[in-house]
Amino acid sequence: MKAERFVFPALLLLALLTFLPAYGSGFVFDFVGWQSLYNKGSFADILNCFGYKGNQQVYHLFFYTIYRFFHLSPFPWYFIFCALHAFNGWLLFYWVRQVKGHWRFDINPVMMFIMAAFFVVHPFTVEVVVFKACVHYLISLVAILGVLILAPRYFLEGNQRSFWVCLLIFFFSLFALEIAYVTPIVIGAYSLIYSRINDKKAELKKRLLLFNACLWGLLIVHLVVNRLTFGAWIGHYGAATHLRFDFVGMVSTELKYLAKHLADVRMYGPKMKGYLFDELLSNKLIVILTFLVGLVAFVFYWIKIKKLNAKWHLV
């Protein structure tokens, strides 16, 4: 549709208007620490991340370049961050349009735009758009959505260019932020849906297995690089934090995020918020029961996947 060419400009305008009250803000906390290191360093220091214990060269390439060219001038920072955020909204719109075609269900383009617009103005996006040290979250989401969009071109058509571009995007995203580690899990779930609803079983499964194996292989390569360069498997907060497995704590945290997004719980008063977060959604029995209900729902979905309306795949 011709109207779709206006989606990104409209989302960009929406982002610029939404975050205008924060114009000139966000040069605080971590930014000040990086600023001190950036003032003493040069582009060559991107290779060793300015002495930081973690391989985040892609992060510093973006961050240092913006700082080097624009220093503390507010408009470039404001515009670049809003543009990246709007671009992620556009990628979300594009992705839904793509799966709508692949999974054969109808959704009004206006509703797709409203969904992308809600993403742009969502209160929980404020920190990564305003706080200037958070550019790696924006570029990491670009990478994850980019892989989601390009991967099916290889799954369904065997497009080799898309295959290599996806691997390249994922590999570089690993050097932006550890949140990229979720990409193989996300693509794994995505692949399961494609394998279940598509009729070209043998050829498709072969491509899916190869693609997912390559993603996990690149992740292992990244971990080995970490080990060889600074002596730890994972940088940033370290393996003890990133690899800590607390089942109840993890499920509880996801339930809290869900409550925040669906009911704006974070905006409630201290008493109600404390009750919901610290008592109700941290209660072991409630957490386990909720998980079991979710597991049963997923099993039902998986059994009935070919008979359900394809919109449930998007959900």
Side-chain angles (χ1 to χ4, degrees), residues 8 140 304:
F8 175 70
S140 292
K304 300 287 186 178

Side-chain angles (χ1 to χ4, degrees), residues 5 126 197 215 229:
R5 71 181 68 174
V126 171
I197 66 175
L215 290 182
T229 51

Side-chain angles (χ1 to χ4, degrees), residues 78-311:
Y78 161 71
F79 185 84
I80 290 170
F81 277 58
C82 284
L84 279 171
H85 184 48
F87 184 61
N88 276 319
W90 178 79
L91 288 175
L92 183 62
F93 176 91
Y94 188 94
W95 176 66
V96 173
R97 187 183 70 171
Q98 183 188 68
V99 299
K100 179 186 75 166
H102 289 172
W103 298 344
R104 298 183 182 87
F105 64 88
D106 292 323
I107 181 170
N108 192 310
V110 174
M111 291 301 298
M112 290 164 55
F113 176 77
I114 291 173
M115 178 192 64
F118 273 142
F119 166 77
V120 170
V121 302
H122 198 292
F124 293 117
T125 65
V126 171
E127 182 179 8
V128 297
V129 182
V130 175
F131 185 19
K132 301 305 183 282
C134 280
V135 69
H136 45 358
Y137 286 97
L138 295 170
I139 59 180
S140 292
L141 187 54
V142 169
I144 293 170
L145 287 170
V147 173
L148 276 172
I149 290 168
L150 290 173
R153 298 182 185 179
Y154 173 69
F155 296 166
L156 302 177
E157 304 164 18
N159 188 304
Q160 291 295 318
R161 183 178 179 182
S162 296
F163 173 80
W164 291 109
V165 171
C166 281
L167 295 186
L168 198 63
I169 290 173
F170 174 58
F171 182 71
F172 280 114
S173 72
L174 290 167
F175 293 90
L177 186 65
E178 290 80 11
I179 201 169
Y181 293 178
V182 307
T183 305
I185 300 171
V186 171
I187 294 298
Y190 200 39
S191 300
L192 285 173
I193 296 175
Y194 268 96
S195 68
R196 188 75 169 172
I197 66 175
N198 199 281
D199 295 328
K200 297 178 181 179
K201 292 293 184 183
E203 189 178 359
L204 179 66
K205 283 185 177 180
K206 183 178 177 181
R207 290 173 186 162
L208 291 173
L209 286 171
L210 176 62
F211 191 83
N212 281 273
C214 288
L215 290 182
W216 285 104
L218 287 175
L219 176 56
I220 291 170
V221 168
H222 175 72
L223 298 178
V224 171
V225 169
N226 286 343
R227 183 70 175 178
L228 294 175
T229 51
F230 55 84
W233 293 107
I234 301 178
H236 206 166
Y237 297 116
T241 297
H242 287 297
L243 299 181
R244 186 175 61 213
F245 187 82
D246 172 10
F247 175 76
V248 174
M250 290 167 69
V251 176
S252 172
T253 299
E254 293 306 319
L255 290 176
K256 292 171 185 176
Y257 274 118
L258 195 63
K260 287 179 184 180
H261 284 283
L262 295 182
D264 281 333
V265 170
R266 193 159 188 163
M267 309 301 176
Y268 294 3
K271 187 175 181 179
M272 177 60 75
K273 187 166 59 176
Y275 172 73
L276 288 170
F277 284 166
D278 301 331
E279 295 184 40
L280 190 66
L281 298 178
S282 294
N283 183 287
K284 182 181 268 189
L285 179 60
I286 292 174
V287 169
I288 292 175
L289 287 175
T290 306
F291 173 79
L292 290 174
V293 169
L295 185 61
V296 169
F298 173 76
V299 171
F300 175 80
Y301 161 75
W302 191 249
I303 293 171
K304 300 287 186 178
I305 192 168
K306 288 190 174 183
K307 296 180 180 179
L308 290 172
N309 188 302
K311 289 181 181 179

